[in-house]
Amino acid sequence: MKPISSLAFASAIALAASLGAAQAQGDLTVALQLEPPHLDPTSAAAGAIDSVVYSNIFEGLTRFMGDGSIVPGLAESWEISEDGLSYTFRLREGVTFHDGTAMDAEDVKFSLDRARAEDSVNAQKALFEAISEVEVVDPLTVKLTLSEANGLLLFNLAWGDAVIVAPESIADIKTNPVGTGAFKFVDWVQGDRIEIARNPDYWGTPAVLDTATFKFISDPTAAFAAVMAEDVDVFSAFPAPENLPQFEADPRFQVLVGSTEGETILATNNKQPPFDDIRVRQALAHAIDRQSIIDGAMFGLGIPIGTHFAPHHPAYVDLTGKSGYDPDKARALLAEAGLADGFETTLHLPPPSYARRGGEIVAAQLAEVGIKAEIINVEWAQWLESVFRGKNFGLTIVSHTEPMDIGIYARPDYYFQYDNKAFQDVMAELNRTTDEARRTELLQQAQTIIADDYVNGYLFELAFPTVAKVGVQGLWLNAPTQATDLTAVSWAQ
Amino acid sequence: MTRNLLLGALLSMLVLLMALVSFVWTPYDHVAMNIPAKLQPPDAEHWLGTDHFGRDMFSMIMVGARTSIAVALVAVGIGMLLGVPLGLAAAARKGSWLDEVIMRGNDLVFAFPSLVIAILITAVLGAGAVNAIIAIGIFNIPVFARITRGAALSLWERDFILAARVAGKSGARISFEHILPNVMNLLIVQGTIQFSLGILAEAGLSYVGLGAQPPTPSWGRMLADAQTMVSIAPHLALVPGVAIVLTVLGLNLMGDGLRDYLDPRLRVSRA
């Protein structure tokens, strides 16, 4: 009698446990550091928006995969004309928005016209510059006519800024986003969390998770505590690299360290004396020891870069040799520029630890060669206001996380104010070129020009550390774009 | 002299000595980074270990003491220089509009929690040691004004003041020649207490990033930097934490001891 009852007891426990597990298996809590200001990816630069909605709620004609490749999204296939000036997209059948309305060619036209309109507030209008006309051929066919060939069009259309939205739901998109994705928006408790749930009518492979919650934890100490206490299942882009070895050693967690598109640079105001002198900028480059910044600020996470380009990209050229650590050379260059006694400047540091800690190291290294950089810690809003828009800075440290963004060097009014006709010509040709080999050649030329001009101090490619509970699978290892794609995420059985 | 006063004075002197010595000597350059040697626990080479940039913690604590003392001292100085005359004036013109304006102004500043005002001020003026001094100084003013007025009011009732008034001395002269010397004891005691609060306030402001900016070492910022590393290198948080605790404890013990020692009434009861 006794063995049976204990057996029954044990199986009751097993049953309860499996019930509890089943309940937990359908739900996932993902922590992110930054809360989005609103939920419309097509009208703001904030990457925090894409971190929540990209691929989960909104989709574009094409999309990024975790490995950085571009695959069909809402467009099933496309045809490119011989001259590269017209793209005909065939849309998937039976795609509906979360409010039940159908997604058709009219929605695509609406979305793209809205993004490229004169009064559009899209943060990446340059993505759509080449498009001259969007035509509805039939409900499932859209034709894009370009004013000039653009080798990056399919890549551009994969960005979060190019997702397809519906005219019916556009009014409330900032608080109630309605997309076509595998998850529906459920609720947003401002300052705390955003909840999404599986879209049962999804056109493609349905999501495995029933529901998912994004929690926003900005403080690194709180982030550590939340993961340790298992309040969250996943922390995407964990903010304190010094804590990763502890998670690695803990059998409850897995640590994934991938790469991002984030070139972390010591951005230099090229119009502000003495930085308008290339010798001064070269001196800056030689005064900086990248490896000690990576070790000191990021605890070893990060790959040194010598130009504004992601090292995992096939067209990357390693130009770190052009700006090797050589303080004597830096001093000599300063003397040559008439600044033998050094000079004073400002170093504006936004909140992330790569900037705050990296900045302290950079300031110490610059002091070694006689450059006195006054550290000014700023919040993001202040940074955007005074540095990015106001251009009122000498130096700043920031990570440019947009993919393939070397084109910003062709914009003379961009905050670091680099103006070089030769570079602009290369970028213009690149935009027109569709031939892969020639594109690679041009990209390498572009990388070399900015490295030779020492436009900015190139520090390192930001790593993408994710801490997750053991059993969570299907997360992106790398961050080819800002996204937390949960469509393929599940708990191991 | 009590044991508390002795212990308090000893601790305070130790911190002061450390700060003074740091002008001429520290074991290492307090800003020199040595990243391969980061997060080392205390040993013979680095007495208090190294921080996350491989800087010598003992050197940073020494120079940090300088920052703390300088900020707190100047802030308390501002509070005394402005607060004491205001208190004297208010007492001399007791019940007049001047008294009202000064004391209601005091109430206004008192109504806000001191650290919140300090954060407001540094947020408006910008972060930095000088603005931290101004911020801490401002909330020290009403403390000294009120304590001076309170003590002065009872003195104004005394016979020797009456004698001075009969002799034709002005209110201002009486305040400075007769009242001030008699409230000095009180001010020294309060000054010591405010000094310790000033050190805490400076640490608090630096902790939230509004005090002295890097590379100037500051105990509060050392604590803030140590936050995410407590579990891997506890000495990073312990060292500045203990430094703050010992300093504030020392100053408070000294303040208490001084009060016992200087207050005539307590002296009588002890005798």
Side-chain angles (χ1 to χ4, degrees):
Chain A
M1 195 66 194
K2 209 172 177 193
I4 295 170
S5 76
S6 73
L7 191 70
F9 184 60
S11 63
I13 287 179
L15 187 67
S18 71
L19 277 176
Q23 205 173 10
Q25 305 262 307
D27 182 56
L28 189 78
T29 304
V30 181
L32 303 172
Q33 210 187 355
L34 290 180
E35 179 167 18
H38 60 76
L39 297 172
D40 178 9
T42 63
S43 68
I49 301 173
D50 284 327
S51 294
V52 173
V53 302
Y54 187 81
S55 170
N56 297 328
I57 295 177
F58 287 111
E59 298 170 303
L61 292 177
T62 56
R63 58 161 295 164
F64 284 104
M65 293 304 283
D67 61 359
S69 59
I70 306 289
V71 299
L74 293 177
E76 194 174 55
S77 61
W78 49 80
E79 268 166 44
I80 307 172
S81 65
E82 277 298 314
D83 56 3
L85 288 177
S86 90
Y87 283 64
T88 310
F89 290 94
R90 177 90 194 141
L91 303 182
R92 285 183 204 278
E93 265 189 80
V95 179
T96 56
F97 283 99
H98 299 150
D99 59 0
T101 55
M103 195 288 299
D104 57 25
E106 289 293 343
D107 294 306
V108 174
K109 180 173 166 57
F110 168 77
S111 303
L112 296 181
D113 283 350
R114 176 171 168 269
R116 64 197 190 89
E118 204 55 46
D119 59 347
S120 153
V121 289
N122 196 293
Q124 304 289 345
K125 275 176 89 168
L127 295 177
F128 313 101
E129 232 163 35
I131 303 174
S132 63
E133 205 193 346
V134 183
E135 250 177 286
V136 175
V137 179
D138 64 52
L140 290 179
T141 313
V142 186
K143 191 173 152 204
L144 266 58
T145 311
L146 309 190
S147 51
E148 56 178 8
N150 186 312
L152 278 182
L153 189 76
L154 294 172
F155 173 83
N156 288 354
L157 291 175
W159 282 47
D161 305 84
V163 294
I164 303 306
V165 293
E168 292 88 352
S169 52
I170 200 71
D172 296 330
I173 185 173
K174 290 187 174 180
T175 49
N176 183 22
V178 174
T180 55
F183 287 95
K184 286 181 184 186
F185 170 77
V186 176
D187 191 22
W188 181 9
V189 180
Q190 294 216 356
D192 183 37
R193 64 180 189 274
I194 290 174
E195 289 165 18
I196 57 176
R198 181 170 52 209
N199 171 14
D201 306 318
Y202 188 56
W203 57 266
T205 316
V208 187
L209 297 169
D210 297 322
T211 57
T213 307
F214 289 98
K215 277 190 88 80
F216 307 104
I217 304 174
S218 60
D219 179 57
T221 318
F224 177 70
V227 177
M228 269 294 172
E230 301 185 34
D231 289 341
V232 299
D233 302 315
V234 174
F235 206 117
S236 182
F238 190 79
E242 57 271 32
N243 294 138
L244 295 179
Q246 270 173 290
F247 292 128
E248 266 164 2
D250 194 319
R252 292 177 297 164
F253 305 110
Q254 50 175 333
V255 176
L256 313 169
V257 178
S259 64
T260 65
E261 297 294 322
E263 291 82 26
T264 310
I265 60 171
L266 175 66
T268 310
N269 192 341
N270 279 245
K271 285 264 157 67
Q272 190 188 72
F275 301 122
D276 51 354
D277 185 334
I278 183 171
R279 290 170 298 189
V280 176
R281 297 198 303 266
Q282 190 182 354
L284 278 182
H286 288 300
I288 293 165
D289 178 9
R290 295 187 181 93
Q291 196 56 48
S292 69
I293 297 172
I294 294 171
D295 290 343
M298 307 310 293
F299 286 71
L301 292 188
I303 301 160
I305 51 170
T307 183
H308 197 104
F309 215 71
H312 52 77
H313 193 283
Y316 174 75
V317 211
D318 186 357
L319 297 169
T320 48
K322 285 187 188 288
S323 45
Y325 179 51
D326 188 350
D328 288 330
K329 191 167 178 190
R331 276 184 217 103
L333 281 160
L334 284 177
E336 209 181 294
L339 293 163
D341 299 330
F343 61 92
E344 287 185 17
T345 185
T346 56
L347 176 57
H348 292 254
L349 302 176
S353 60
Y354 68 72
R356 289 277 164 91
R357 276 193 214 143
E360 277 199 61
I361 303 173
V362 165
Q365 289 175 351
L366 293 182
E368 290 285 310
V369 300
I371 302 171
K372 198 178 170 299
E374 186 201 344
I375 289 176
I376 301 173
N377 290 336
V378 292
E379 297 304 315
W380 275 122
Q382 257 178 303
W383 186 87
L384 285 169
E385 186 57 38
S386 65
V387 177
F388 193 73
R389 279 194 286 273
K391 304 179 179 76
N392 181 19
F393 72 107
L395 300 168
T396 184
I397 294 180
V398 70
S399 203
H400 285 259
T401 50
E402 292 83 12
M404 281 291 286
D405 55 354
I406 194 168
I408 55 180
Y409 287 75
R411 290 152 62 175
D413 60 342
Y414 206 60
Y415 74 105
F416 45 73
Q417 308 191 81
Y418 172 63
D419 191 353
N420 179 349
K421 185 75 176 58
F423 183 85
Q424 289 155 19
D425 289 344
V426 170
M427 286 325 280
E429 194 188 335
L430 179 72
N431 282 340
R432 288 191 303 268
T433 311
T434 41
D435 176 52
E436 263 321 300
R438 179 66 186 147
R439 285 188 62 83
T440 302
E441 206 175 297
L442 287 166
L443 279 171
Q444 293 181 340
Q445 251 180 43
Q447 292 174 50
T448 314
I449 295 174
I450 56 170
D452 282 335
D453 275 347
Y454 297 96
V455 182
N456 294 311
Y458 300 104
L459 305 178
F460 57 88
E461 193 74 9
L462 201 63
F464 182 64
T466 302
V467 183
K469 276 194 207 162
V470 165
V472 179
Q473 55 192 24
L475 289 163
W476 281 11
L477 170 67
N478 299 321
T481 186
Q482 286 222 345
T484 319
D485 185 350
L486 299 179
T487 53
V489 173
S490 64
W491 289 90
Q493 291 306 311
Chain B
M1 197 172 280
T2 65
R3 202 180 46 198
N4 277 359
L5 180 58
L6 200 68
L7 184 66
L10 207 70
L11 277 173
S12 309
M13 284 305 123
L14 194 74
V15 176
L16 187 65
L17 193 73
M18 214 159 67
L20 290 176
V21 170
S22 78
F23 280 101
V24 290
W25 177 84
T26 51
Y28 292 83
D29 180 357
H30 69 275
V31 292
M33 295 181 181
N34 181 9
I35 285 160
K38 68 182 175 194
L39 300 177
Q40 283 179 3
D43 58 18
E45 208 174 318
H46 295 279
W47 297 344
L48 296 178
T50 60
D51 78 347
H52 55 295
F53 293 145
R55 293 176 296 197
D56 180 56
M57 293 281 282
F58 187 54
S59 307
M60 288 178 76
I61 287 290
M62 284 176 76
V63 183
R66 206 155 88 191
T67 314
S68 287
I69 291 175
V71 169
L73 203 64
V74 180
V76 172
I78 290 175
M80 271 195 175
L81 269 171
L82 295 175
V84 172
L86 283 175
L88 288 174
R93 295 275 178 277
K94 182 192 168 200
S96 72
W97 62 269
L98 184 71
D99 186 21
E100 281 298 315
V101 169
I102 292 173
M103 295 325 286
R104 293 302 77 78
N106 267 349
D107 291 344
L108 191 73
V109 180
F110 260 132
F112 294 94
S114 51
L115 207 58
V116 174
I117 300 190
I119 289 173
L120 178 76
I121 292 171
T122 44
V124 171
L125 299 180
V130 174
N131 293 335
I133 289 174
I134 296 173
I136 301 169
I138 284 178
F139 67 72
N140 265 306
I141 295 172
V143 176
F144 286 104
R146 178 159 291 187
I147 203 152
T148 308
R149 176 178 179 271
L153 277 182
S154 64
L155 285 171
W156 274 98
E157 308 293 322
R158 303 273 288 272
D159 291 345
F160 73 98
I161 299 295
L162 193 62
R165 286 171 80 173
V166 169
K169 285 194 176 179
S170 70
R173 272 193 72 181
I174 294 174
S175 290
F176 281 98
E177 285 177 13
H178 300 290
I179 309 272
L180 186 58
N182 283 294
V183 298
M184 215 55 195
N185 290 350
L186 217 55
L187 291 181
I188 289 172
V189 171
Q190 193 62 37
T192 318
I193 306 288
Q194 287 310 114
F195 185 67
S196 78
L197 290 177
I199 284 186
L200 266 186
E202 191 276 334
L205 282 178
S206 298
Y207 180 79
V208 295
L210 295 171
Q213 295 297 298
T216 310
S218 149
W219 293 350
R221 214 186 49 254
M222 287 170 77
L223 263 185
D225 286 345
Q227 256 193 126
T228 54
M229 292 175 231
V230 171
S231 47
I232 46 176
H235 72 277
L236 247 57
L238 281 176
V239 168
V242 168
I244 294 171
V245 168
L246 288 184
T247 309
V248 172
L249 181 73
L251 286 166
N252 274 309
L253 285 177
M254 192 164 87
D256 277 352
L258 277 177
R259 187 177 54 218
D260 296 350
Y261 186 68
L262 294 174
D263 192 323
R265 277 162 303 184
L266 289 174
R267 198 155 30 178
V268 171
S269 68
R270 206 166 49 231

